[in-house]
Amino acid sequence: EADIYQTPRYLVIGTGKKITLECSQTMGHDKMYWYQQDPGMELHLIHYSYGVNSTEKGDLSSESTVSRIRTEHFPLTLESARPSHTSQYLCASSAWTGASTDTQYFGPGTRLTVL
Amino acid sequence: KQEVTQIPAALSVPEGENLVLNCSFTDSAIYNLQWFRQDPGKGLTSLLLIQSSQREQTSGRLNASLDKSSGRSTLYIAASQPGDSATYLCAISNSGYALNFGKGTSLLVTP
């Protein structure tokens, strides 16, 4: 079973607040990802990291930021939450095996509601 | 950009039936293809990963096939059970990092 954790699982917060969604994995994976999923819609990549001090934006534009100071930790921050940020945020990680990416393992997700 | 389409969007079958879920994609230059399962309010569970050089993968009652030339993959579930009820997602990696997801097939297996 994959060991990737996300906290909090659910968060309801007011507009303008700063929030940080936590993601940690104990598998030693170099690659980590953040996806956003609206109800009934597909997942979209918003950020990814190849390793410590490496972060890149994904295909879907997002006002969030990420950091990768430790291999196991990949937090996502929203400086000023807005109702349009209401969504489910899923963190994932994978190993790097030569020319292709291995299986991505997902955390349970954080369901964010901004009032 | 890779477009991933899953058909049908929803499927309801009686317990014990064999079933096939379909996934089509527009760009055949893929690294790998993964099938996931997502239960309501939860994260994704990886079911099968097919590398670009492979044609199929099997795990228990699940069999996934890949035909790059036609841009198709199928997930075959044998002898379906109520516990198989979930949303099944097809995802494709073209670049070795990001996954492009379909919207999924919502499966309901009735007792």
Side-chain angles (χ1 to χ4, degrees), chain A residues 5-54:
Chain A
Y5 308 98
Q6 291 186 244
T7 57
R9 292 291 313 279
Y10 304 92
L11 180 62
V12 181
I13 201 164
T15 296
K17 299 290 187 182
K18 177 180 179 178
I19 59 170
T20 296
L21 308 184
E22 302 287 350
C23 176
S24 295
Q25 49 95 5
T26 59
M27 298 172 283
H29 287 166
D30 289 323
K31 293 188 173 185
M32 295 189 74
Y33 317 81
W34 277 103
Y35 292 87
Q36 184 174 340
Q37 184 182 31
D38 293 327
M41 301 299 290
E42 57 268 66
L43 281 78
H44 289 285
L45 181 72
I46 52 175
H47 298 282
Y48 63 99
S49 167
Y50 283 131
V52 171
N53 295 324
S54 155

Side-chain angles (χ1 to χ4, degrees), chain A residues 94-107:
Chain A
S94 67
W96 173 258
T97 54
S100 63
T101 302
D102 210 329
T103 299
Q104 287 196 18
Y105 295 94
F106 280 76

